Amino acid sequence: MTYEETLHYLYTSTPVFQHSGASAYKPGLDTSIALDNYLGNPHKAYKTIHVAGTNGKGSVSHLLAAILRQAGYKVGLFTSPHLIDFRERIRVNGKMIPKDYVIDFVDRHRATFEPLRPSFFELTSTMAFDYFRAEKVDYAIIEVGMGGRLDSTNIITPILSIITNISLDHTQFLGDTVEKIAFEKAGIIKPGISALVGEVYTQSVAQVFADTAVKNDTLVYFASREELLNESYLMDTGEWYFDSVEYGQLFGELGGVVQVRNAKTALAALNLLGSLGVEIPQEAVREGFEHVVELTGLMGRWQTLQEKPKVICDTGHNTGGWQYLNLQLGEVIKRSRRTHMIVGMVNDKDINGVLELMSKEAFYYFTQASVERAMPSAEIAAMGMMHGLSGVTCDSVAIAVERALANAAEEDTIFIGGSTFIVADALPLFMKEDK
């Protein structure tokens, strides 16, 4: 098979949550364990760091991967979903898994895995574990797909478990309270393995993690309770300035308001890794923070796609993420002549909760991504108007981008987001322009 034929096979023969949602959700570890045993437990060939959380786990995972790479280690990185190319999910030292490896993995193993009927994510995580072993990585950063306790990545025994934060998302699978969701994410805490929680907003959630740590005879640390930064502020360049306690002055390339919290989580993780004997020079920390995008290929985090008019995208897609996005967009609206918002969401999110947070001062282009889960543009427009948002409907992201660019003056700002998949559809449009 060609690479394109292999991807078509993966997307059509395995249930893909990214595309179809609930029908592809397959909780439980039995299939992942069977696949792992068949391949000889590849994840045991290197050390792993497990990262869960409602928001921020992608940014924290990429930051740690960049820093460890600059410290001289060979680093695997498994994340999801991808934005443009499937291979973004599986990287070693920032480079995507080769197409030939994807083709060969499916060709060699399909006769074994087909009877197991794995989900797309189960098969993809297994492929990542196998590739990291083949590449002889020193460390692999493994991002949880959903939840934690029943996520297919939870077959690993990491040297550190990280949970970035907890807010309401995927409630139909993980529970309808933050405490229930915390319980699911706390499922990655392993006996004797230190755990780190980035931020908690309620004592009841903190107690879930504390109780889980006690049951597993281990310790849980809370980054929000540690002295990690002397000073921090968002500079005019769009980067963060951090005066860190352990690593001195840092400049964070990821410029979203929420990134100060992700930085604190990453810094706390580095301190814990240091206590485990992982040598990480200060210069590696500085380089990792300042060049995380180049070092890892991270996209979609308050990313500027164009100037005049300025076009920004962000993959924040739930109320937890939009609480921070709303703050940053408020500053954008103050500075811009006019703000144009290209937004869409998938139908299994708290759409009303997100729309309630969106500015009534902006003009909206309600649209839909090219995935089955996408809410039709007309429906989200009707909901948006109930929340006082005015705008037009566009049948695709490409049409929305075209209309917004045609209507925007050089002093305007265009924001693209509401869903990871809206950003995924938008990115190639601007990458073509850059060529």
Side-chain angles (χ1 to χ4, degrees):
M1 292 190 289
T2 65
Y3 177 64
E4 288 71 23
E5 289 169 341
T6 301
L7 287 188
H8 179 74
Y9 168 80
L10 289 173
Y11 288 141
T12 56
S13 65
T14 61
V16 185
F17 186 86
Q18 178 170 343
H19 293 168
S20 55
S23 62
Y25 179 55
K26 186 181 175 186
L29 304 180
D30 290 349
T31 302
S32 295
I33 291 171
L35 290 169
D36 187 61
N37 288 337
Y38 159 66
L39 290 170
N41 312 120
H43 65 88
K44 295 181 179 180
Y46 42 85
K47 295 177 180 177
T48 57
I49 299 167
H50 210 184
V51 185
T54 305
N55 295 299
K57 59 183 182 289
S59 294
V60 170
S61 295
H62 283 79
L63 274 171
L64 292 177
I67 292 165
L68 287 172
R69 176 183 173 186
Q70 290 306 100
Y73 301 108
K74 194 170 189 180
V75 184
L77 177 62
F78 175 64
T79 59
S80 62
H82 64 271
L83 292 174
I84 298 173
D85 188 330
F86 163 82
R87 298 180 301 138
E88 295 167 29
R89 295 168 177 258
I90 305 170
R91 295 179 184 266
V92 171
N93 279 6
K95 294 184 178 179
M96 294 188 290
I97 184 173
K99 293 180 179 179
D100 287 346
Y101 197 97
V102 177
I103 296 168
D104 183 63
F105 181 86
V106 173
D107 282 345
R108 278 189 296 124
H109 303 303
R110 60 184 292 185
T112 298
F113 67 65
E114 280 180 349
L116 297 173
R117 298 185 61 81
S119 70
F120 177 84
F121 189 78
E122 287 170 332
L123 193 57
T124 302
S125 57
T126 301
M127 185 189 301
F129 296 152
D130 185 67
Y131 180 62
F132 295 155
R133 178 177 59 183
E135 286 293 297
K136 296 181 171 61
V137 303
D138 299 304
Y139 296 95
I141 315 294
I142 308 297
E143 180 188 349
V144 168
M146 184 194 301
R149 183 175 65 93
L150 300 176
D151 187 78
S152 61
T153 64
N154 204 28
I155 62 173
I156 66 174
T157 300
I159 61 171
L160 176 64
S161 301
I162 302 171
I163 301 164
T164 56
N165 60 31
I166 302 295
S167 63
L168 293 175
D169 197 15
H170 297 301
T171 53
Q172 68 272 50
F173 307 116
L174 305 180
D176 57 2
T177 68
V178 288
E179 291 80 14
K180 291 177 181 178
I181 293 173
F183 173 79
E184 292 298 326
K185 296 187 187 297
I188 71 167
I189 297 176
K190 301 292 196 306
I193 306 298
S194 295
L196 170 67
V197 177
E199 55 181 342
V200 291
Y201 306 107
T202 64
Q203 180 57 38
S204 60
V205 167
Q207 194 63 49
V208 171
F209 296 123
D211 291 344
T212 305
V214 169
K215 289 178 182 177
N216 284 279
D217 193 24
T218 190
L219 297 175
V220 61
Y221 301 85
F222 296 90
S224 58
R225 299 176 184 174
E226 297 184 22
E227 294 295 328
L228 299 164
L229 295 174
N230 296 316
E231 185 182 15
S232 62
Y233 56 83
L234 194 56
M235 301 186 296
D236 292 339
T237 59
E239 296 178 316
W240 274 99
Y241 168 80
F242 301 118
D243 178 13
S244 70
V245 172
E246 294 288 335
Y247 306 99
Q249 294 183 340
L250 305 172
F251 296 94
E253 184 178 19
L254 303 179
V257 169
V258 72
Q259 294 301 337
V260 68
R261 292 157 179 83
N262 294 332
K264 289 179 180 178
T265 303
L267 290 170
L270 294 176
N271 291 345
L272 287 171
L273 290 172
S275 71
L276 294 171
V278 183
E279 296 184 7
I280 305 171
Q282 287 192 354
E283 184 60 27
V285 180
R286 286 193 288 269
E287 288 291 315
F289 267 89
E290 194 164 356
H291 303 290
V292 60
V293 172
E294 176 187 347
L295 291 169
T296 65
L298 178 63
M299 295 183 289
R301 272 64 171 185
W302 198 257
Q303 180 179 355
T304 298
L305 303 177
Q306 176 185 301
E307 300 285 353
K308 295 184 178 180
K310 183 180 285 291
V311 180
I312 299 168
C313 69
D314 195 280
T315 55
H317 56 271
N318 52 40
T319 53
W322 268 88
Q323 286 171 356
Y324 296 111
L325 273 178
N326 196 40
L327 294 174
Q328 194 146 12
L329 283 166
E331 293 301 312
V332 167
I333 291 170
K334 289 178 186 177
R335 295 195 301 266
S336 301
R337 187 190 73 97
R338 195 183 194 196
T339 302
H340 307 256
M341 302 274 289
I342 298 172
V343 298
M345 296 187 70
V346 292
N347 54 24
D348 54 5
K349 300 294 181 183
D350 178 12
I351 296 173
N352 280 306
V354 173
L355 291 173
E356 181 61 32
L357 294 170
M358 292 186 181
S359 171
K360 297 176 176 58
E361 299 176 46
F363 184 82
Y364 288 81
Y365 302 78
F366 297 103
T367 189
Q368 61 194 69
S370 55
V371 295
E372 293 176 35
R373 293 166 61 198
M375 170 166 277
S377 56
E379 290 185 28
I380 193 168
M383 294 176 70
M385 290 175 188
M386 291 176 62
H387 289 275
L389 310 181
S390 61
V392 296
T393 59
C394 302
D395 291 338
S396 70
V397 174
I399 292 172
V401 168
E402 182 181 8
R403 293 185 67 175
L405 288 172
N407 292 338
E410 288 190 355
E411 302 81 13
D412 291 359
T413 299
I414 299 172
F415 175 82
I416 304 172
S419 165
T420 300
F421 309 115
I422 295 291
V423 174
D425 282 358
L427 282 171
L429 305 175
F430 293 90
M431 293 177 70
K432 290 176 184 176
E433 291 179 3
D434 290 341
K435 291 180 180 179

